[in-house]
Amino acid sequence: MADDEKTRWAIDVMTAWAQDCDADFVHDRIDSYLAEPHGESGLITGLINLSGLLLMGMEASTGKSTPEILQAIAATISRSAH
């Protein structure tokens, strides 16, 4: 399966997540991809690809490097955990 197809899976799952109208719908989308041959690794690869594309977009729009962006996200998560 091509990486583009895996990335489309991730976009579909994250689109369902972003709509947030029905948690069951998100889980149904995930389950449908996990049921495919090599679904687990395919969805993980797609999510990594999508994350990379989004990080590149953030780099372009903010002027910050990927490590800086990831550190800022990590700091936000650390603050919200306390």
Side-chain angles (χ1 to χ4, degrees), residues 5-48:
E5 183 64 21
K6 295 171 191 173
T7 305
R8 281 189 206 77
W9 287 9
I11 292 168
D12 180 48
V13 167
M14 292 309 297
T15 299
W17 176 83
Q19 292 174 351
D20 197 32
C21 54
D22 182 4
D24 289 336
F25 180 63
V26 175
H27 293 285
D28 289 344
R29 299 310 308 136
I30 293 168
D31 290 343
S32 72
Y33 294 119
L34 294 180
E36 294 286 329
H38 308 290
E40 296 90 350
S41 61
L43 187 55
I44 290 167
T45 298
L47 289 166
I48 291 169

